[in-house]
């Protein structure tokens, strides 16, 4: 199964996190994978591991989203958009296997399929801010910018 397809399954499971208690996540994932008839063990493990990882860091991810989403706190966001953003921020900030540009592009594509008319631009805007701050933090400080002791 392609990563894009795996990501869509993860998005759907992350979406459900908003509506069910955390202790039900494992059972919900098992039922979902059974219903979707995802047979490959490698794919099943990937989906379960990544969904669990995103769910475990929702508070941290939401903190980042609240910091960079001007005028839109996570409590007010469309739940599909929020789920796309949570997955994308996890991939951008916490999953070294996914390049930032890929995480953003895939999030925009999910938003086109599952969000509203304005979802792709909304999601792209927030993720672009996070990526810009991330890039700025990586840039080495120039010698003439350094403050003297």
């Amino acid at each position: 199964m392609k990563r894009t397809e795996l990501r869509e399954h993860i998005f759907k499971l992350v979406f459900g996190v908003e509506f069910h208690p955390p202790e039900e996540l494992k059972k919900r994932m098992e039922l979902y994978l059974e219903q979707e008839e995802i047979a490959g063990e490698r794919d099943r493990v990937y989906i379960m591991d990544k969904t669990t990882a995103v769910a475990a860091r929702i508070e941290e991810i939401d903190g980042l989203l609240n910091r960079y989403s001007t005028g839109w706190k996570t409590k007010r966001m469309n739940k599909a958009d929020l789920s796309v953003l949570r997955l994308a921020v996890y991939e951008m900030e916490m999953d070294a296997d996914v390049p930032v540009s890929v995480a953003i592009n895939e999030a925009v594509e999910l938003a086109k399929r599952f969000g509203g008319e304005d979802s792709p631009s909304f999601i792209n805007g927030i993720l672009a801010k996070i990526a810009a701050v991330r890039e700025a933090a990586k840039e080495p400080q120039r010698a003439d910018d350094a403050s003297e002791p």
Side-chain angles (χ1 to χ4, degrees), residues 132-140:
V133 169
R134 189 176 199 258
E135 270 307 304
K138 283 184 178 178
E139 291 180 13

Side-chain angles (χ1 to χ4, degrees), residues 12-88:
K12 290 175 181 177
L13 287 162
V14 169
F15 180 82
V17 167
E18 194 67 24
F19 305 101
H20 300 281
E23 59 273 7
E24 292 180 8
L25 180 61
K26 186 173 190 251
K27 185 66 175 165
R28 282 187 29 263
M29 287 190 297
E30 290 168 355
L31 289 170
Y32 175 84
L33 295 171
E34 189 177 298
Q35 285 177 327
E36 292 294 318
E37 298 178 358
I38 298 171
E41 185 61 25
R42 186 174 174 197
D43 292 342
R44 293 172 66 86
V45 168
Y46 182 84
I47 291 167
M48 290 181 76
D49 286 351
K50 192 166 234 181
T51 301
T52 302
V54 173
R57 304 206 52 190
I58 282 181
E59 191 173 315
E60 180 182 353
I61 293 167
D62 285 1
L64 278 168
L65 290 171
N66 285 325
R67 191 173 323 140
Y68 295 106
S69 58
T70 309
W72 286 92
K73 298 303 174 201
T74 54
K75 290 184 189 299
R76 291 186 53 221
M77 287 180 191
N78 168 307
K79 298 309 179 200
D81 292 353
L82 179 57
S83 298
V84 170
L85 285 165
R86 284 173 170 167
L87 176 54

